[in-house]
Amino acid sequence: MTEQKQALFTIFGATGDLAKRKLYPSLFRLFKKGELADNFAVIGTARRPWTDEYYRGVVLDSIKDLMRSKTEAEAFAAHFYYQSHDVGDSSHYVNLKELGEKLRHTYKTAGNQVFFLAMAPQFFGTIAEHLKSEHILTGEGFERIVIEKPFGTSYDTAKALNDSLSKVFTEEQIFRIDHYLGKEMIQAVSAVRFANPIFESVWNNEHIDNVQITFAEFIGVEDRGGYYETSGALKDMIQNHVLQVLSLIAMERPAKFDESHIVEEKVKALKAMRQYTAEEALENFVRGQYSAGYFDGETYRGYRQEDSVASDSQTETFAAGKFVIDNERWAGVPFYVRSGKRMTEKGTRINIVFKKDPDNLFAGNCDDEQSPNILTIYIQPTEGFSLSVNGKAAGQGFHLEPFRLNFRHDSEFLGNSPEAYEKLFLDVLNGDGTNFSHWEEAARAWELIDVIRQAWDNQTSEIPTYPARTMGPANAFELLAKDGREWAWQPDLWYRERGYYEK
Ligand SMILES: NC(=O)C1=CN([C@@H]2O[C@H](COP(=O)(O)OP(=O)(O)OC[C@H]3O[C@@H](n4cnc5c(N)ncnc54)[C@H](OP(=O)(O)O)[C@@H]3O)[C@@H](O)[C@H]2O)C=CC1
Ligand SMILES: O=C1O[C@H](COP(=O)(O)O)[C@@H](O)[C@H](O)[C@H]1O
């Protein structure tokens, strides 16, 4: 039987997009499963002068697709309270404290508190300080703070942010969200690696030729131009999600499968990654920005035509690069990464490309090249694995042909599998920080990224472009071609052959 959790949640930024799209539905899923029942309450806070009643209406609206009955949804929403509050105004914390004390007793939350900061990072420090100075932190039960990305905009700003949080919370109390770590198939990477001797024994530079990590998005920048102009693909995706995934693939086997051992190994892997000079950063990293494109009867506008984007913007909507790891396991194995918006299609996947057999037995019998074995981990939108192997082409004669051993999770599994934020909320309640970003990881990731960012910022040439609905600019293909390699996943070729790009 599920044991219900006891906690008072305070959500800062309760009127915002993240709260409505992700947080309330995730809490509701936990409610439906009995993880949250009688002993929880939520204080939503932001500047808008909402009433409890209006707020509950917003919460109900955000869960309308998930509700089984009106009674159940209303029972859930009844746990929500709204307090209008400007986080910069000290006097408002007095009201928050009073309301919190009342709810703690009413709902018997055992003094446990979770503060979710669904707000821009510039507010994090001041909120943390006020939680302490206004005695909202009582030390009665567990007290945990959950913060959203971006965690800083450079090493220096991230360090300043971390320093201000650390004055109030210990590292064990800080949960830095990287929502990719809550995804089913990212969590499955460790299972694939460490529960299968056939993979574990070849997970090294003797057998792996290169690793490719693709985070392709179909969507453009949508209504987030204002934020994206200050970020770009490198900081928005590579610094956090991509490097997190890379460290899971590259880390050594942890002594135990628990938070401290896993984080220790991830940090070691990140620290073993080569720190590029500015010159090396330019050699190994490329960027691009989507221009207008045409695909299957539809025209897509370019990034510079998007709302809140400067008409001469140099912001990259695509970044690709090669990381190298200077340790025994990975010496000589490039880790190619790419992430972009308005690419051919949505697809997050990891390709582990194995070395070909140097001694091709079939060389004299048939002219066919052996294809490399490729293990693909599909993160989204489909979730599963495939392994491509060489076989004999059916029919007369002897020819090699690559076949794919495929496994995809079925729709029942996907339908029942918890959403990333739901898992992460539960982890916070359980005090398990395994699937969160820790300071040492974020710090090292910024060190690796800062040099690339600065090298690009110092360039005077115009940013290269790529047409919307393609797999990025030409330089992303040249990056691999100059190493004698190519991207294992090129969906645009499939569409091109079938005329999807022809007007
Ligand atoms: N939306 C998403 O999908 C994702 C968001 N994030 C991150 O989550 C955070 C929130 O994003 P999102 O919800 O999209 O942002 P929104 O702009 O939609 O929401 C911001 C929230 O902050 C509140 N707010 C702003 N200023 C103040 C203030 N001075 N005092 C009190 N409340 C204030 C706003 O409410 P009001 O105006 O009523 O005060 C609003 O509730 C950001 O850090 C973002 O980077 C990360 C990943 C995905
Ligand atoms: O963190 C972010 O992630 C989303 C992509 O997340 P996904 O779960 O939909 O794959 C990205 O669109 C956004 O720009 C970025 O801030």
Side-chain angles (χ1 to χ4, degrees):
M1 212 182 96
T2 308
E3 197 185 316
Q4 64 156 307
K5 306 286 183 291
Q6 296 171 280
L8 170 65
F9 297 87
T10 304
I11 298 182
F12 291 87
T15 59
D17 174 72
L18 183 74
K20 286 185 264 186
R21 277 194 315 109
K22 299 285 185 191
L23 307 190
Y24 306 143
S26 301
L27 289 172
F28 184 55
R29 285 195 180 94
L30 292 177
F31 183 75
K32 287 205 293 186
K33 290 179 180 164
E35 298 282 359
L36 295 175
D38 302 323
N39 302 132
F40 84 99
V42 180
I43 301 178
T45 166
R47 288 167 305 183
R48 268 162 254 195
W50 288 0
T51 59
D52 289 345
E53 198 188 355
Y54 186 85
Y55 182 43
R56 288 173 191 163
V58 171
V59 171
L60 283 174
D61 189 55
S62 74
I63 59 168
K64 61 180 182 299
D65 297 337
L66 301 172
M67 62 172 78
R68 292 176 293 205
S69 74
K70 201 164 168 238
T71 316
E72 178 188 51
E74 282 174 353
F76 170 72
H79 290 253
F80 284 70
Y81 296 80
Y82 185 80
Q83 178 71 57
S84 178
H85 166 83
D86 186 319
V87 296
D89 186 339
S90 304
S91 65
H92 286 185
Y93 290 87
V94 176
N95 303 332
L96 270 188
K97 183 175 160 63
E98 262 176 34
L99 179 58
E101 275 168 3
K102 195 174 105 196
L103 297 179
R104 219 161 48 205
H105 291 114
T106 311
Y107 288 93
K108 299 190 175 52
T109 55
N112 297 331
Q113 298 202 75
V114 174
F115 303 95
F116 200 114
L117 275 45
M119 293 186 63
Q122 70 262 29
F123 297 115
F124 295 173
T126 189
I127 295 173
E129 279 161 27
H130 280 102
L131 291 177
K132 185 176 180 185
S133 65
E134 303 308 316
H135 307 291
I136 291 176
L137 300 176
T138 62
E140 220 180 288
F142 67 66
E143 289 168 330
R144 297 175 184 146
I145 186 161
V146 189
I147 48 190
E148 266 298 340
K149 61 165 283 211
F151 195 77
T153 54
S154 63
Y155 175 82
D156 289 342
T157 54
K159 168 103 177 45
L161 175 55
N162 201 59
D163 288 348
S164 66
L165 288 172
S166 304
K167 282 185 198 145
V168 181
F169 294 97
T170 63
E171 179 67 15
E172 290 68 38
Q173 292 176 294
I174 304 174
F175 291 75
R176 296 176 198 80
I177 293 237
D178 182 312
H179 76 281
Y180 268 79
L181 296 181
K183 290 189 192 263
E184 192 60 43
M185 293 307 297
I186 297 292
Q187 297 187 356
V189 168
S190 296
V192 173
R193 283 195 60 186
F194 302 120
N196 297 293
I198 59 161
F199 291 130
E200 202 181 351
S201 57
V202 295
W203 211 263
N204 54 49
N205 57 4
E206 200 182 326
H207 298 282
I208 293 179
D209 180 78
N210 72 92
V211 175
Q212 304 182 9
I213 302 174
T214 300
F215 280 54
E217 291 194 77
F218 160 72
I219 55 167
V221 74
E222 313 288 297
D223 56 358
R224 295 176 72 215
Y227 154 74
Y228 204 79
E229 278 285 86
T230 66
S231 168
L234 187 69
K235 291 184 185 179
D236 188 46
M237 298 294 285
I238 309 274
Q239 187 274 338
N240 37 76
H241 310 315
V242 171
L243 280 174
Q244 278 290 337
V245 172
L246 193 156
S247 65
L248 284 169
I249 299 167
M251 71 177 183
E252 294 298 312
R253 183 188 175 98
K256 271 173 84 180
F257 196 65
D258 65 15
E259 177 181 348
S260 64
H261 292 89
I262 293 172
V263 172
E264 187 184 333
E265 293 306 337
K266 284 167 74 189
V267 170
K268 273 196 224 156
L270 288 164
K271 288 194 171 160
M273 288 172 73
R274 190 173 303 166
Q275 181 69 51
Y276 287 139
T277 61
E279 203 175 299
E280 287 168 336
L282 293 178
E283 262 166 43
N284 291 302
F285 273 79
V286 299
R287 59 192 172 135
Q289 185 186 77
Y290 63 84
S291 54
Y294 173 87
F295 184 88
D296 195 21
E298 252 191 77
T299 305
Y300 296 85
R301 60 183 178 173
Y303 176 67
R304 290 180 183 179
Q305 287 78 55
E306 302 279 18
D307 298 339
S308 316
V309 171
S311 58
D312 59 351
S313 170
Q314 296 295 312
T315 304
E316 81 283 357
T317 58
F318 174 95
K322 174 167 83 172
F323 284 114
V324 290
I325 305 182
D326 291 318
N327 64 15
E328 209 180 325
R329 181 183 294 273
W330 295 116
V333 180
F335 282 67
Y336 298 107
V337 301
R338 59 179 168 170
S339 177
K341 293 206 181 282
R342 270 284 179 259
M343 294 177 67
T344 308
E345 62 184 47
K346 172 87 175 172
T348 310
R349 55 178 71 185
I350 301 162
N351 294 110
I352 311 288
V353 183
F354 289 91
K355 287 184 172 162
K356 290 190 203 172
D357 183 354
D359 178 20
N360 184 0
L361 174 67
F362 308 103
N365 300 63
C366 57
D367 297 332
D368 309 322
E369 272 261 349
Q370 275 187 35
S371 302
N373 297 129
I374 302 179
L375 172 69
T376 303
I377 305 176
Y378 300 87
I379 313 297
Q380 56 184 20
T382 56
E383 302 183 21
F385 314 95
S386 75
L387 180 65
S388 76
V389 296
N390 291 296
K392 177 190 168 297
Q396 195 71 24
F398 192 97
H399 286 283
L400 294 177
E401 190 178 327
F403 293 94
R404 216 177 258 178
L405 310 178
N406 253 323
F407 168 75
R408 293 290 191 283
H409 283 300
D410 62 23
S411 50
E412 192 186 336
F413 170 89
L414 296 175
N416 292 332
S417 95
E419 208 263 340
Y421 273 89
E422 176 190 343
K423 285 195 202 179
L424 296 176
F425 258 127
L426 200 53
D427 285 348
V428 171
L429 290 167
N430 289 329
D432 182 355
T434 308
N435 297 313
F436 292 80
S437 169
H438 294 66
W439 166 239
E440 276 196 280
E441 300 170 74
R444 178 62 187 145
W446 278 121
E447 284 172 353
L448 293 165
I449 293 303
D450 277 354
V451 64
I452 304 166
R453 184 69 267 162
Q454 280 154 18
W456 283 350
D457 288 345
N458 289 337
Q459 280 192 314
T460 48
S461 52
E462 275 282 302
I463 187 164
T465 58
Y466 59 99
R469 300 290 317 255
T470 62
M471 289 306 280
N475 54 18
F477 295 87
E478 286 152 17
L479 182 75
L480 274 73
K482 69 184 181 193
D483 291 347
R485 299 187 174 96
E486 60 179 8
W487 292 104
W489 187 47
Q490 298 192 31
D492 47 341
L493 295 184
W494 191 92
Y495 289 108
R496 202 166 294 287
E497 276 168 17
R498 286 156 185 80
Y500 280 79
Y501 289 101
E502 286 161 27
K503 282 206 178 158

